């Protein structure tokens, strides 16, 4: 058996923060010990599910079966350009059944240059629900009886988010949320970020590596977060609640527009390039149909991105109320929002720990309303902020 690479060597595993037990399992699997045809990686946002899947896929193609990080297979795998590693990531709320059927056909092919034909599905939680499992059912047979050289790597927040028929056929590995010290050390070591900024970003991101990096490197991201976490102390009247809901919705809209504008222009240019002069023909049904399809998809992507941005803001709000509970009960240590200790103190003094827990519950209720029941964000946010109004502030 090939032994796992030394931790001192820079390999495909080197940037996985706080996941040593998982890495050891996957290193041995890549070397042929404990290997299976389907894996499910679960863990909270920021735990690095897709990064773990990327590293494992690269290691499985590695010429040395270790994930050495030096061979061509490792480099192609980590860059996302290996011809035998297919990435599936949904930018809408669901993965579509027709796309999955096409994926099943391509996954059955023999590897072109690698050891395996690997399919990575980053959003396996969007394969459907027990009530509407069509998309997942399209994959079920392929995952249940894969071809000898086909591997499936699925990612989802929790096991319960994945259809029972799918998850029962996978080996599950649950990732941990990286600790604040690990995240801060990663930022200082990889991005040349000062210790003070790395410490702030690690705390504020609550272990989310990508979020921590954005907070450390981008002032606008820090400003948007500061605006969000300063909201709880201001919720003293009905008017302030309505204003806060609008602020949250507008911040999400602005961030989404910044993300999508360039991508939408690029997608439109690519479509126009494909159709060439035909797009200028007003009678061209094929171009008009393709354009309508693109516009519909872009609207779906934008809607999902708005919800994702709001979801992150809600988790930032939750961190304030958890900090307030920590102050109320005298828990030691730094707050997640240490730089806003004054605002957190205001919230802690205004509400009991029991009331603060109810406020956290109202945030998760709003999250469920938007993500699961398609309640318009403005409406859900208004209901939430009213529930977050501080006791005594009834004006």
């Amino acid at each position: 058996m090939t032994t796992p690479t030394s931790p001192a060597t820079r390999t495909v595993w080197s940037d996985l923060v706080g996941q040593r037990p998982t890495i050891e399992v996957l290193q041995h699997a890549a070397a042929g010990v404990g290997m299976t045809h389907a894996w499910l990686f679960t863990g909270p946002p920021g735990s690095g599910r897709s990064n773990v899947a990327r590293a494992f896929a690269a290691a499985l193609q590695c010429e040395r079966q270790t994930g050495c990080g030096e061979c061509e297979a490792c480099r192609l795998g980590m860059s996302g350009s290996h011809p035998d590693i297919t990435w599936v990531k949904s930018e809408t709320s669901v993965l579509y059944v027709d796309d999955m059927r096409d994926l099943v056909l391509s996954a059955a092919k023999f590897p072109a240059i690698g050891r395996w034909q690997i399919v990575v599905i980053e959003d396996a939680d969007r394969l459907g629900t027990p009530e509407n499992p069509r998309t997942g059912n399209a994959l079920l047979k392929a995952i249940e009886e894969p071809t000898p050289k086909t591997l499936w790597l699925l990612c989802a927040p929790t096991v319960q988010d994945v259809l029972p028929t799918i998850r029962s056929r996978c080996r599950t590995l649950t990732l941990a949320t990286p600790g604040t010290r690990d995240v801060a050390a990663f930022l200082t070591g990889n991005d040349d970020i000062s210790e003070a900024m790395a410490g702030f970003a690690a705390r504020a991101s609550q272990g989310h590596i990508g979020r921590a990096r954005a907070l450390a490197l981008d002032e606008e991201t820090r400003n948007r977060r500061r605006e969000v976490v300063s909201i709880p102390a201001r919720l003293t009247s009905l008017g302030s609640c309505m204003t806060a809901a609008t602020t949250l919705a507008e911040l999400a809209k602005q961030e989404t527009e910044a993300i999508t504008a360039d991508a939408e222009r690029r997608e439109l240019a690519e479509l126009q390039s494909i159709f060439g002069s035909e797009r200028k023909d007003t009678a061209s049904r094929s171009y008009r149909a393709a354009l309508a399809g693109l516009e519909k998809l872009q609207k779906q992507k934008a809607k999902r991105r708005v919800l994702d941005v709001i979801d992150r803001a809600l988790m930032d709000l939750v961190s304030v109320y958890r900090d307030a509970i920590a102050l109320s009960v005298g828990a030691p240590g730094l707050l997640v929002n240490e730089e806003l200790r004054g605002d957190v103190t205001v919230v802690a003094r205004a509400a009991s720990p029991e009331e603060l827990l109810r406020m956290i519950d109202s945030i998760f209720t709003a999250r469920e309303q938007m993500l699961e029941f398609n309640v318009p964000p403005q409406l859900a946010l208004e209901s939430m902020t009213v529930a977050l109004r501080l006791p005594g502030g009834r004006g």
Side-chain angles (χ1 to χ4, degrees):
M1 182 193 76
T2 307
T3 57
T5 55
S6 166
T9 305
R10 185 141 192 96
T11 68
V12 300
W13 316 104
S14 297
D15 289 341
L16 302 182
V17 181
Q19 306 298 341
R20 174 49 51 189
T22 295
I23 291 172
E24 290 177 354
V25 171
L26 297 180
Q27 282 179 317
H28 285 92
V33 179
M35 189 58 190
T36 187
H37 70 282
W39 296 74
L40 173 60
F41 301 114
T42 66
S47 57
R49 299 184 300 264
S50 59
N51 291 335
V52 168
R54 182 182 298 274
F56 187 36
L60 288 167
Q61 304 290 19
C62 176
E63 296 166 10
R64 304 173 187 173
Q65 296 182 250
T66 61
C68 66
E70 300 174 351
C71 68
E72 183 180 15
C74 282
R75 292 196 298 270
L76 289 173
M78 293 302 290
S79 68
S81 56
H82 197 291
D84 296 318
I85 303 176
T86 301
W87 285 85
V88 181
K89 180 177 182 179
S90 173
E91 294 185 89
T92 60
S93 298
V94 295
L95 290 163
Y96 293 102
V97 64
D98 289 343
D99 294 334
M100 292 303 102
R101 287 170 178 159
D102 292 340
L103 182 64
V104 168
L105 292 175
S106 62
K109 296 177 181 177
F110 198 81
I113 64 172
R115 300 167 57 216
W116 302 96
Q117 183 70 252
I118 301 173
V119 180
V120 183
I121 301 180
E122 289 194 31
D123 307 293
D125 51 312
R126 300 182 190 178
L127 286 170
T129 64
E131 296 75 23
N132 185 20
R134 287 185 64 224
T135 304
N137 286 344
L139 285 180
L140 184 57
K141 190 69 172 177
I143 293 178
E144 188 175 28
E145 298 177 7
T147 55
K149 289 293 184 177
T150 301
L151 296 177
W152 297 85
L153 310 183
L154 280 59
C155 306
T158 70
V159 172
Q160 288 71 30
D161 290 322
V162 181
L163 288 168
T165 51
I166 298 292
R167 70 189 188 222
S168 65
R169 290 159 174 81
C170 300
R171 178 176 179 181
T172 301
L173 288 181
T174 300
L175 310 185
T177 299
T180 299
R181 289 184 179 178
D182 288 336
V183 175
F186 176 81
L187 294 176
T188 55
N190 287 266
D191 295 300
D192 196 26
I193 294 169
S194 70
E195 290 187 6
M197 179 59 75
F200 155 75
R203 282 187 290 103
S205 69
Q206 301 177 74
H208 192 303
I209 296 293
R211 178 70 167 159
R213 178 173 277 155
L215 287 167
L217 298 175
D218 183 54
E219 185 176 3
E220 289 187 10
T221 300
R222 293 195 294 273
N223 290 339
R224 283 193 294 266
R225 184 185 186 279
R226 188 178 300 112
E227 180 69 20
V228 170
V229 295
S230 67
I231 285 175
R234 303 201 305 264
L235 297 179
T236 57
S237 68
L238 184 60
S240 64
C241 292
M242 296 297 102
T243 299
T246 300
T247 297
L248 285 169
E250 284 298 316
L251 286 172
K253 182 180 178 182
Q254 291 170 12
E255 184 170 348
T256 300
E257 288 176 348
I259 295 171
T260 60
D262 288 341
E264 289 183 351
R265 282 194 293 268
R266 187 167 56 251
E267 289 168 352
L268 179 59
E270 290 174 355
L271 180 67
Q272 291 174 339
S273 175
I274 291 172
F275 281 86
S277 59
E278 185 179 348
R279 65 186 173 85
K280 299 178 182 179
D281 182 359
T282 57
S284 174
R285 291 184 179 180
S286 57
Y287 174 70
R288 283 188 284 123
L291 181 61
L294 175 62
E295 291 173 346
K296 179 181 179 181
L297 181 60
Q298 288 178 339
K299 287 180 181 178
Q300 291 173 335
K301 289 180 180 180
K303 178 182 178 181
R304 182 68 207 190
R305 284 171 179 160
V306 167
L307 292 176
D308 287 343
V309 173
I310 291 177
D311 189 39
R312 187 171 62 236
L314 295 185
M315 294 304 99
D316 287 335
L317 285 178
V318 167
S319 73
V320 177
Y321 293 100
R322 285 176 174 164
D323 279 350
I325 293 173
L327 282 184
S328 295
V329 301
L334 290 176
L335 304 177
V336 170
N337 301 285
E338 184 65 36
E339 69 284 354
L340 289 176
R341 180 176 280 265
D343 283 358
V344 176
T345 301
V346 169
V347 176
R349 289 175 177 171
S352 68
E354 293 76 17
E355 288 171 322
L356 293 170
L357 285 172
R358 285 195 292 271
M359 292 175 180
I360 290 175
D361 187 59
S362 71
I363 296 174
F364 281 102
T365 297
R367 181 178 187 267
E368 183 180 28
Q369 288 174 337
M370 288 182 286
L371 296 179
E372 302 296 333
F373 299 109
N374 294 316
V375 174
Q378 183 71 33
L379 184 60
L381 292 172
E382 288 176 357
S383 176
M384 179 194 75
T385 52
V386 169
L388 296 178
R389 185 168 45 172
L390 295 177
R394 302 299 181 190

